[in-house]
Amino acid sequence: MLDQLARDAEAALNQGRLDEAEALAGQVLAQDPGHQRAAVIAGMVEARSGRSKQAIIRFDRIASADPDQFEATFWLSVLYRQTNQPNESVRFAERAVKLRPAEAHVYSNLGMSQLATHDLANAVSNFQRAAAINPSLAPNFHHLGTALQLQGRDDEAIQAFRRALELAPNSLESLHFLGQSLMNQLDTAGAIECAQLALMLKPNSATAHLLLANALIAANRIEEAEKHMNLAAELNSKEGTPHAMLGMRLQGLGRLEEANASFRKSIELQPEQGFAYCALVRNHKVNPDDAELIAQMERLTAANIPLRGQSFLHFGLGKAYEDLKQYERAMGHFDEANRISYKLRFGDGKFDRQLYAASIDWAIKTFTQGFFASNRNGMNESDQPIFIVGMMRSGTTLVEQILSSHPEVGARGEQPFWMKRGAEAIPTGTSRVDAAKLRRLTSEYLKILQATFSDARHLTDKMPDNYLLLGLIHTALPNARIIHTRRNPIDTCISIYTTPNRTSDPYANDRENIVFAYRQYLKLMEHWRTVLPKDRLFEVSYEDLIADREPTTR
């Protein structure tokens, strides 16, 4: 009799009739408090109806009495994650994997719990294991893409999000995340397409309007972008993120007071965050009147907010104390910000100085004047691109802004093309050139560059790290001009360390590694001065541009 009632309760649960399922399970438990199946059903009803605390108590009692009870163990991992207790969630998710090691969803669940603890490497591994067992779980591919995106592995994240969308084409969340990864890869056309598809599915999606605004700005379609920025803020007026993003865009347009108002609105709506605080502090000179703002940020460093938000808080506090000339406190916060940023991006990985130096030595040995002469024939003669290179934080953005103010120059921002594709034609470690492949890549690159400014006489590409690839670039485009921006070494290295850069450079979060990489940069640039034609490589000083812009620009 009781077992039949339990089966009826489970049938009601499976059909979504939660009240009936709870009543039937309650009848069983009233007569037999130890009836495990009825207790599990009652716990599931509590979990699905939002009574997490009661469900945790019930499932914990079941799992304590029977550690091999899978459903209680699995649900405890879910509920602890939902109630912001990620370490407990991981503990039960690992137990669930041991109980059902052949099921895809248990690995995906463990990955989600590890994602909550920012254990990105293990999260990626478990999402991949789930995908290998069952390649048809759309949410698993979405979560895999999310973890890869947080690691800065946007190429792989894009593949994961695309697979999620193949399985669930109407997933707004996967469209939004795919669009963001495409933006990170500077594929503005792809990001615009994602945003437009999302708006077709949900015209009042604030997230989609915000994504579209960011992509339109990157495509230099400012007026269109502003409309979508304002719509995003209006539609999501009670959440902080759209206002913070609107602030960043207003800041980029030079509208600093409006930007600060947006950052403050974001903080008002979402006090427990890091990004808007950091942006607000970096947007003005902090003074003693900002004492309450700083105190609020200090309090938040002890709050339970995500690690990425914590890193922004520490970057912001570092900037604040630097402005107040409290340099020891400032550096302590910068150290913590960089520790968190490195952990999020690279986990326990280490910067391989030997490998990095070997790549510099290979470039110096390979790209000689003789190499260029022997590979000159048949290459693309275009002089349209202007490459702006240098160490990050050396002034490449300023140089592009100055150049693009000329009517014949279009600004194309940071193009990752050669960083991603160059080795297809000249593999690192060899001196072999696939000339046909290099010509095809060059044509593809020029089409991408010309996508927004098809009629411009010149187009800029200000990817700073292209200084590593000037041999490849000069081989592919021997008539292209290259502008190398230089800045005081100490200022450059400090700026790298104290700025929350989204960078894949593994040296950028460690002081000694930054200095090592800078010395390698100096070594390589000295080589390029020797082997590149004087009318192709030009050098400008950031300090000269700031002090005496017009003659330096001319």
Side-chain angles (χ1 to χ4, degrees):
M1 177 64 178
L2 292 182
D3 288 344
Q4 183 58 52
L5 279 174
R7 285 192 290 272
D8 292 343
E10 187 159 14
L13 176 69
N14 292 336
Q15 294 171 20
R17 304 195 311 273
L18 300 187
D19 289 343
E20 181 182 343
E22 185 167 34
L24 290 168
Q27 291 180 38
V28 176
L29 292 171
Q31 298 179 57
D32 180 3
H35 197 290
Q36 187 184 89
R37 193 65 211 150
V40 168
I41 293 166
M44 289 182 179
V45 170
E46 290 166 342
R48 292 184 185 182
S49 57
R51 289 172 283 163
S52 299
K53 185 176 180 180
Q54 296 97 310
I56 287 173
I57 292 171
R58 189 182 298 276
F59 283 132
D60 190 56
R61 188 161 55 240
I62 296 169
S64 296
D66 182 3
D68 292 334
Q69 215 295 322
F70 171 76
E71 287 156 313
T73 302
F74 184 88
W75 270 102
L76 281 169
S77 71
V78 173
L79 290 163
Y80 278 125
R81 186 168 65 246
Q82 291 175 348
T83 55
N84 205 24
Q85 301 178 69
N87 291 326
E88 281 296 287
S89 176
V90 169
R91 183 165 71 89
F92 282 98
E94 288 174 339
R95 282 174 54 179
V97 166
K98 291 178 181 177
L99 292 172
R100 300 270 182 93
E103 296 185 13
H105 73 286
V106 297
Y107 291 102
S108 189
N109 178 65
L110 175 56
M112 291 172 66
S113 298
Q114 290 165 332
L115 194 58
T117 65
H118 300 280
D119 183 2
L120 300 180
N122 281 320
V124 167
S125 177
N126 280 301
F127 291 136
Q128 289 172 334
R129 292 181 76 176
I133 296 170
N134 185 350
S136 300
L137 291 176
N140 181 68
F141 282 100
H142 175 83
H143 297 313
L144 172 59
T146 301
L148 291 166
Q149 187 183 81
L150 287 170
Q151 285 186 308
R153 296 162 63 182
D154 284 295
D155 281 344
E156 297 166 85
I158 287 167
Q159 294 178 29
F161 290 132
R162 289 198 190 283
R163 177 59 179 157
L165 286 163
E166 287 176 7
L167 296 166
N170 293 335
S171 170
L172 281 170
E173 192 174 21
S174 292
L175 278 169
H176 294 156
F177 276 71
L178 173 60
Q180 187 55 58
S181 273
L182 290 168
M183 278 292 293
N184 294 340
Q185 291 291 292
L186 305 177
D187 183 354
T188 54
I192 288 171
E193 182 182 2
C194 282
Q196 290 172 335
L197 287 170
L199 288 171
M200 288 174 63
L201 292 169
K202 187 179 180 183
N204 62 344
S205 167
T207 306
H209 280 291
L210 188 62
L211 172 63
L212 184 54
N214 290 338
L216 289 169
I217 287 171
N220 206 37
R221 293 159 61 180
I222 305 300
E223 290 185 10
E224 293 176 74
E226 282 206 58
K227 179 184 75 173
H228 291 285
M229 280 194 293
N230 292 327
L231 275 170
E234 291 171 13
L235 289 166
N236 216 349
S237 59
K238 295 184 179 180
E239 290 193 20
T241 300
H243 292 278
M245 294 297 100
L246 175 59
M248 288 300 295
R249 294 312 162 199
L250 291 168
Q251 183 185 62
L253 295 170
R255 293 155 59 179
L256 302 186
E257 288 305 315
E258 292 175 79
N260 285 341
S262 289
F263 295 140
R264 291 190 179 97
K265 183 65 174 178
S266 175
I267 290 168
E268 176 189 334
L269 294 169
Q270 188 180 340
E272 293 197 356
Q273 59 161 306
F275 181 81
Y277 290 98
C278 182
L280 179 60
V281 165
R282 294 186 65 82
N283 206 34
H284 77 285
K285 182 82 169 179
V286 174
N287 60 64
D289 293 339
D290 294 305
E292 178 52 38
L293 174 66
I294 295 170
Q296 188 174 355
M297 294 170 69
E298 287 279 17
R299 287 193 293 271
L300 284 174
T301 61
N304 191 17
I305 65 174
L307 285 179
R308 187 166 297 281
Q310 288 284 349
S311 73
F312 280 121
L313 279 173
H314 286 290
F315 274 119
L317 284 165
K319 161 66 165 56
Y321 287 123
E322 182 182 9
D323 286 348
L324 295 171
K325 303 187 187 305
Q326 298 182 36
Y327 299 117
E328 187 172 347
R329 293 184 76 175
M331 191 53 70
H333 283 290
F334 286 133
D335 287 343
E336 182 62 9
N338 279 283
R339 184 194 68 78
I340 295 171
S341 296
Y342 188 94
K343 182 72 174 178
L344 283 170
R345 186 63 52 80
F346 304 108
D348 295 325
K350 302 295 182 184
F351 174 53
D352 190 332
R353 293 188 184 186
Q354 186 174 357
L355 184 63
Y356 192 82
S359 69
I360 301 295
D361 291 340
W362 165 77
I364 292 171
K365 180 180 178 181
T366 300
F367 296 104
T368 63
Q369 289 179 335
F371 177 93
F372 295 134
S374 63
N375 290 284
R376 179 69 171 79
N377 291 338
M379 291 303 164
N380 197 297
E381 298 295 331
S382 174
D383 67 350
Q384 189 178 35
I386 299 174
F387 292 91
I388 305 169
V389 304
M391 200 68 167
M392 70 170 78
R393 309 298 304 166
S394 65
T396 55
T397 300
L398 177 60
V399 170
E400 182 177 58
Q401 289 172 347
I402 293 170
L403 286 176
S404 63
S405 66
H406 192 283
E408 293 187 355
V409 179
R412 292 296 283 122
E414 297 181 4
Q415 297 293 324
F417 184 88
W418 294 111
M419 301 297 297
K420 293 165 58 178
R421 305 287 303 278
E424 295 176 24
I426 307 178
T428 302
T430 76
S431 58
R432 179 178 57 81
V433 181
D434 186 335
K437 180 67 173 178
L438 186 56
R439 285 192 290 270
R440 288 195 297 273
L441 286 174
T442 304
S443 296
E444 186 177 340
Y445 169 73
L446 290 174
K447 287 180 182 177
I448 293 171
L449 206 64
Q450 295 160 356
T452 306
F453 299 94
S454 58
D455 298 328
R457 175 70 183 84
H458 290 290
L459 295 167
T460 59
D461 177 347
K462 74 165 199 77
M463 174 60 73
D465 281 355
N466 273 340
Y467 80 83
L468 295 162
L469 305 176
L470 292 185
L472 166 71
I473 287 168
H474 182 64
T475 304
L477 289 155
N479 291 324
R481 268 65 173 183
I482 300 161
I483 298 176
H484 170 222
T485 63
R486 296 177 301 179
R487 186 182 181 187
N488 177 279
I490 294 175
D491 290 343
T492 302
C493 292
I494 289 176
S495 185
I496 292 170
Y497 193 68
T498 59
T499 303
N501 302 298
R502 179 178 176 85
T503 174
S504 59
D505 292 315
Y507 61 78
N509 300 112
D510 180 274
R511 297 187 225 175
E512 293 183 1
N513 286 339
I514 291 171
V515 172
F516 175 84
Y518 192 88
R519 287 173 174 158
Q520 293 295 314
Y521 147 78
L522 292 176
K523 177 180 175 181
L524 184 56
M525 287 310 307
E526 184 59 36
H527 172 71
W528 297 138
R529 290 188 195 98
T530 302
V531 300
L532 293 177
K534 303 301 181 186
D535 62 348
R536 295 293 181 268
L537 177 63
F538 303 88
E539 299 191 85
V540 297
S541 162
Y542 175 79
E543 287 76 17
D544 288 347
L545 278 175
I546 296 298
D548 205 2
R549 179 172 299 187
E550 186 170 344
T552 304
T553 302
R554 292 184 183 280

